[in-house]
Amino acid sequence: MSAPVILDPCCGSRMMWFDKKHPAAVFGDLRSETLTVTDRSHGKPNGKRTLFITPDVRLDFRALPYVDDWFYLVAFDPPHLVRAGRRSWLAAKYGTLSRDWRADIRAGFAECFRVLRPNGTLVFKWNETQIKVREVLELSPYQPLFGNTAGKRNGTHWLVFMKPAGAAG
């Protein structure tokens, strides 16, 4: 098999993937763990849910271990919570940002664009329950090309970026 050409640097439990083992993708995350937390929203008698976070590579999205201009596609779905209970289902599912979340997201965008090939595509997913998407977009070096506008109702935005042809790694 050839080297992966798609990067998901914050894969978590790979919730958004239809093929959670897609051969063209490398799944990375800072966490590698199995978490069982209480979540009574799914009607299980014991109220417990288990989440498996099993990245191919343990990495920090703020300092990616890849060369410049490698990937054709980056799927960037960073943690979007700054407030969540330590053992909550949302914290387990999505992870949490540090107090300096702006620096984290700015570094994440910079790294994702660095490893993305010129004219490559970055798909960015953000839920604005706690932080508005407009605040996050101020941290990207590029503006999105397009995305969904239904986020105001459900809070989740999908935005598509293209790395400019002349941009350096």
Side-chain angles (χ1 to χ4, degrees):
M1 182 179 81
S2 61
V5 295
I6 301 168
L7 173 65
D8 182 345
C10 307
C11 71
S13 64
R14 307 179 192 194
M15 292 173 285
M16 68 181 179
W17 286 85
F18 288 101
D19 181 351
K20 295 179 186 326
K21 295 181 180 185
H22 196 289
V26 61
F27 297 94
D29 206 292
L30 192 58
R31 303 179 299 160
S32 180
E33 57 191 344
T34 299
L35 302 163
T36 300
V37 295
T38 301
D39 176 28
R40 290 184 170 70
S41 69
H42 275 250
K44 290 192 174 185
N46 67 0
K48 301 286 184 190
R49 288 179 76 182
T50 301
L51 186 73
F52 302 95
I53 299 168
T54 56
D56 299 329
V57 179
R58 293 210 41 200
L59 55 78
D60 185 333
F61 70 83
R62 298 166 296 187
L64 297 173
Y66 301 104
V67 298
D68 296 357
D69 305 329
W70 181 261
F71 295 98
Y72 288 92
L73 173 68
V74 174
F76 187 34
D77 181 14
H80 56 267
L81 300 172
V82 289
R83 296 176 311 279
R86 195 173 58 83
R87 295 289 302 157
S88 76
W89 175 248
L90 288 178
K93 191 173 176 181
Y94 298 113
T96 56
L97 291 165
S98 74
R99 290 182 186 208
D100 196 7
W101 66 266
R102 284 180 176 85
D104 293 340
I105 298 299
R106 183 179 286 112
F109 270 125
E111 281 293 278
C112 287
F113 281 115
R114 180 186 65 77
V115 301
L116 190 63
R117 289 177 181 248
N119 292 319
T121 303
L122 183 140
V123 177
F124 179 68
K125 181 177 168 266
W126 187 259
N127 182 284
E128 64 176 9
T129 301
Q130 294 181 4
I131 302 168
K132 298 295 181 195
V133 72
R134 66 177 155 67
E135 292 180 70
V136 174
L137 290 178
E138 293 171 359
L139 306 172
S140 171
Y142 307 110
Q143 291 298 308
L145 297 172
F146 56 88
N148 75 322
T149 57
K152 291 180 182 179
R153 213 179 290 144
N154 68 14
T156 299
H157 295 268
W158 290 83
L159 304 167
V160 177
F161 296 77
M162 184 187 319
K163 181 177 176 177

